[in-house]
Amino acid sequence: MQLQEKIFNAGIVGAGGAGFPSHIKAKSKVEFVLANGAECEPLIHKDYELMLNFPKEIMRGLELLIDSTSAKKGYFGIKEKNAKAISAISKHLNGKTELTRLGDFYPSGDEFELVYEATGRLIPPAGIPLDIGCVVNNVETLYNIALAEKDITVTKKFICVAGAVKKPSSFFVPVGTSFKDVVEFAGGSKVSELGIFVGGAMMGHLTFDLNEVVTKTTAGIIVLPKDHYLIKRKNQPEESCHRIGKSACDQCSYCTEFCPRYLLGYQVEPHKVMRSLGLTKTGAAVWNEMAELCCSCGLCTLYACPEDLYPKEACDKAKVEMHEAGIKFIQQKEVKVHPIKEGRRVPLQQLIMKLKLQDYDVDAPFNSEKITINKVRIPFQQHIGKPAKAIVKKDEVVEEGQLIGKVPNGELGANIHASISGKVKEVTAESISIES
Ligand code: SF4
Ligand code: SF4
């Protein structure tokens, strides 16, 4: 069986957060395969722990992908500060792969940044790495590919639990485990009133629902007291973000000056998007084409703006509005790296201070204890593409690893598998619940 088929059968998707079905990447032909071990979200350390504890599997996954894509070379993006992980990975480097040592900046794990750092190539505006002969995979995706070689399906997710928990740590949990169980496994919350950032403080989403579950793309969760600065910032209703921006933005343009996509040479200018707010009667219509190539990294809102405004949210809204109106901005200007790019990079430690997260900036060591979970809820949509379709019914008994949801015929998507053995308790339009 070819690798792409094994990956498809195993239900592998980008584990760093993107959720792109990995079999598509495995069947492409490229020049370079990049392993993304850059991990730049504040407090999240799961890739570091995975590289430290499973370097052989990660490198095997990379080797398999290099072969399947006929790539001439692999690059392994890893931060210089992670010396122990570099040493672990280096022991398994083959002649085809080179380390790309990265500084401790945000967002060094962004595909556009990593591809540029490793290969010197710039992805075309609104393009993907494949357009310039590259594929990029998170290190956990590579780990899953090594398991798929042995026909092991994706039933577990490696996550980091950080913030206001008693035992910040990284561990494997069955896909579909509730955040309540995950927080308990990290020693429990230190606070009674809490909010959770899912996937990271910068690019993740905020929830107060402990019944939400871990999916194949959950990199980690950050537990914070409900009255923490970041929760207040992120919990601002959309309408008031734009109303405040309309009245208070003084067009200083710091948001643009720090925008990593702007600095790479893409036409992203959040201050112009903010200007749109001021030019409409209510600030309700934000349309501005300078938002189209924004990657929602959050730096403009959470780091650059001296007035604590919401340029990232304005860009998000502008993108949605333009999409609904069928407007697409195509950058005609050549992509040319800004001469000041290096000087404007944002050190992670500085970002952590700005986010008021320094009290939670600790290691999250790998906990290899086996977690016994007796209830999971596995969503059909954990990836880019169409949701999987259930192939099991209520009261059916399933085994861990068994296929329970299939990609609809010929569509882009990913299979899902039972993450624990037990009985199917419920099948809804969104998910399958299993209890052991
Ligand atoms: S940094 Fe803030 S105040 Fe300055 S232009 Fe951007 S949104 Fe406006
Ligand atoms: S979120 Fe802000 S800083 Fe990040 S890419 Fe978009 S406009 Fe630029």
Side-chain angles (χ1 to χ4, degrees):
M1 198 190 293
Q2 284 196 321
L3 182 70
Q4 65 198 64
E5 217 176 319
K6 285 187 176 248
I7 293 175
F8 177 80
N9 290 343
I12 302 176
V13 303
F20 190 78
S22 304
H23 62 279
I24 305 289
K25 289 184 182 178
K27 71 178 178 197
S28 55
K29 294 293 168 217
V30 296
E31 268 182 86
F32 306 119
V33 178
L34 286 85
N36 191 349
E39 193 163 54
C40 56
E41 273 281 354
L43 312 188
I44 301 284
H45 303 300
K46 70 112 183 152
D47 286 344
Y48 171 71
E49 292 296 327
L50 201 74
M51 291 186 284
L52 206 56
N53 291 284
F54 301 94
K56 192 171 154 208
E57 290 80 357
I58 293 168
M59 287 308 295
R60 177 63 188 153
L62 180 58
E63 196 179 293
L64 287 167
L65 263 190
I66 289 175
D67 285 349
S68 80
T69 57
S70 309
K72 63 180 185 197
K73 193 167 180 180
Y75 288 102
F76 201 112
I78 188 165
K79 285 188 173 174
E80 185 82 64
K81 71 164 184 182
N82 292 331
K84 285 186 185 164
I86 290 179
S87 151
I89 290 291
S90 297
K91 288 187 186 125
H92 301 276
L93 279 182
N94 55 36
K96 273 195 158 179
T97 302
E98 186 183 303
L99 288 183
T100 300
R101 293 166 191 258
L102 306 163
D104 194 17
F105 300 104
Y106 181 85
S108 46
D110 174 45
E111 281 190 345
F112 281 59
E113 292 279 342
L114 182 60
V115 168
Y116 173 65
E117 287 289 328
T119 68
R121 295 181 181 183
L122 287 160
I123 299 172
I128 56 173
L130 201 55
D131 296 334
I132 48 165
C134 301
V135 287
V136 182
N137 283 275
N138 170 263
V139 289
E140 189 181 353
T141 313
L142 297 172
Y143 170 86
N144 285 333
I145 289 173
L147 297 193
E149 187 187 18
K150 298 175 185 158
D151 299 316
I152 300 171
T153 59
V154 179
T155 58
K156 294 188 175 59
K157 183 73 187 78
F158 194 60
I159 59 165
C160 171
V161 183
V165 288
K166 291 177 190 143
K167 233 172 56 184
S169 40
S170 303
F171 44 83
F172 287 101
V173 285
V175 170
T177 301
S178 71
F179 291 165
K180 184 171 179 290
D181 286 338
V182 161
V183 170
E184 281 311 308
F185 197 69
S189 171
K190 283 182 175 172
V191 290
S192 52
E193 301 261 289
L194 54 93
I196 292 178
F197 281 97
V198 186
M202 296 300 288
M203 293 191 74
H205 73 271
L206 173 64
T207 183
F208 298 99
D209 181 5
L210 284 164
N211 292 317
E212 265 193 42
V213 296
V214 171
T215 70
K216 292 178 189 176
T217 61
T218 312
I221 66 171
I222 300 174
V223 175
L224 290 176
K226 212 170 177 179
D227 59 358
H228 189 274
Y229 159 81
L230 251 190
I231 293 196
K232 287 189 198 150
R233 282 281 274 143
K234 282 266 192 167
N235 206 22
Q236 190 78 236
E238 189 191 300
E239 186 269 331
S240 76
C241 291
H242 303 322
R243 187 168 28 79
I244 300 166
K246 176 178 163 62
S247 61
C249 174
D250 61 10
Q251 287 292 291
C252 70
S253 81
Y254 278 17
C255 47
T256 296
E257 297 297 335
F258 277 101
C259 171
R261 287 287 163 100
Y262 168 78
L263 292 168
L264 264 179
Y266 302 96
Q267 284 182 283
V268 182
E269 295 184 56
H271 77 285
K272 289 188 180 163
V273 183
M274 293 297 283
R275 194 182 298 166
S276 291
L277 288 174
L279 295 175
T280 59
K281 193 173 173 193
T282 60
V286 193
W287 290 12
N288 190 300
E289 59 193 23
M290 291 300 121
E292 177 82 28
L293 302 174
C294 154
C295 66
S296 299
C297 74
L299 261 190
C300 50
T301 290
L302 293 171
Y303 184 81
C305 181
E307 298 188 41
D308 274 1
L309 302 181
Y310 294 89
K312 179 249 179 197
E313 286 69 15
C315 287
D316 285 347
K317 185 155 192 263
K319 283 184 274 183
V320 170
E321 286 179 350
M322 287 194 295
H323 181 73
E324 282 169 1
I327 300 168
K328 191 156 178 62
F329 169 66
I330 315 274
Q331 175 170 340
Q332 302 297 342
K333 256 172 59 178
E334 184 197 353
V335 182
K336 215 169 152 198
V337 176
H338 197 293
I340 202 76
K341 177 181 175 350
E342 282 307 303
R344 293 265 171 78
R345 301 176 91 187
V346 174
L348 193 66
Q349 283 310 312
Q350 219 161 297
L351 178 62
I352 286 173
M353 301 266 282
K354 175 86 185 180
L355 300 178
K356 305 189 195 306
L357 289 176
Q358 62 273 32
D359 290 349
Y360 304 106
D361 185 20
V362 294
D363 291 344
F366 174 44
N367 182 349
S368 59
E369 251 175 77
K370 186 170 161 45
I371 301 185
T372 310
I373 297 290
N374 53 24
K375 195 176 170 187
V376 292
R377 182 171 56 79
I378 304 170
F380 295 125
Q381 181 84 70
Q382 303 181 44
H383 48 262
I384 290 173
K386 295 278 182 205
K389 278 213 151 83
I391 58 162
V392 290
K393 292 196 175 71
K394 187 172 183 288
D395 293 333
E396 232 176 276
V397 173
V398 293
E399 288 293 319
E400 182 184 329
Q402 183 183 325
L403 185 66
I404 56 171
K406 268 179 142 175
V407 180
N409 254 349
E411 301 280 4
L412 178 70
N415 291 331
I416 56 168
H417 302 82
S419 58
I420 59 171
S421 300
K423 199 183 239 188
V424 175
K425 279 292 180 194
E426 195 183 25
V427 180
T428 68
E430 283 83 34
S431 60
I432 295 176
S433 298
I434 302 170
E435 278 183 38
S436 60

